[in-house]
Amino acid sequence: SKAQGIIADDFDHDGIQDLVLAGNFYGYRTQLGDSDASLGSFLKGMGDGSFKAISLAESGLIIDGDVRHILLVKNATGRKKLVAARNNNYPLAILIQSLWHE
């Protein structure tokens, strides 16, 4: 599937930048079908420039739909949320407690 948005942040609070990817694309012509295999991805930064893909079962991250853009927002108390703008659907907001801990 296509990645339409990527956010870098320390999601697991270990001092190392991680990545969250979201995507899909439903705009292809009928004969090509939808590109809809993604539910989002959490890539844990390993500190050496590499990333480890964390499974959906471990991360709890689900960003479904025809995602066109994602962004990280912080409320007045400092709590972070991922907001996903989805085509022909309502926005999805995900509270970031911690996506994954070892």
Side-chain angles (χ1 to χ4, degrees):
S1 189
K2 297 177 81 166
Q4 300 281 83
I6 301 172
I7 297 288
D9 195 64
D10 182 14
F11 292 105
D12 59 2
H13 310 292
D14 65 355
I16 301 169
Q17 292 286 297
D18 308 301
L19 298 175
V20 168
L21 289 78
N24 295 325
F25 185 73
Y26 298 171
Y28 291 123
R29 296 177 58 129
T30 304
Q31 60 267 41
L32 297 176
D34 292 339
S35 177
D36 64 353
S38 176
L39 290 175
S41 299
F42 175 55
L43 303 177
K44 176 179 174 41
M46 302 309 293
D48 61 1
S50 68
F51 294 88
K52 177 182 177 184
I54 304 302
S55 73
L56 176 120
E58 289 181 274
S59 72
L61 177 70
I62 298 175
I63 306 174
D64 63 344
D66 187 0
V67 177
R68 295 302 176 98
H69 186 69
I70 59 174
L71 70 125
L72 190 63
V73 296
K74 198 183 298 187
N75 68 12
T77 65
R79 296 183 83 182
K80 294 179 183 178
K81 287 187 179 185
L82 277 175
V83 178
R86 302 180 299 172
N87 194 34
N88 295 323
N89 206 338
Y90 56 89
L92 180 65
I94 301 166
L95 179 63
I96 303 299
Q97 302 277 344
S98 180
L99 285 175
W100 185 75
H101 284 290
E102 282 189 291

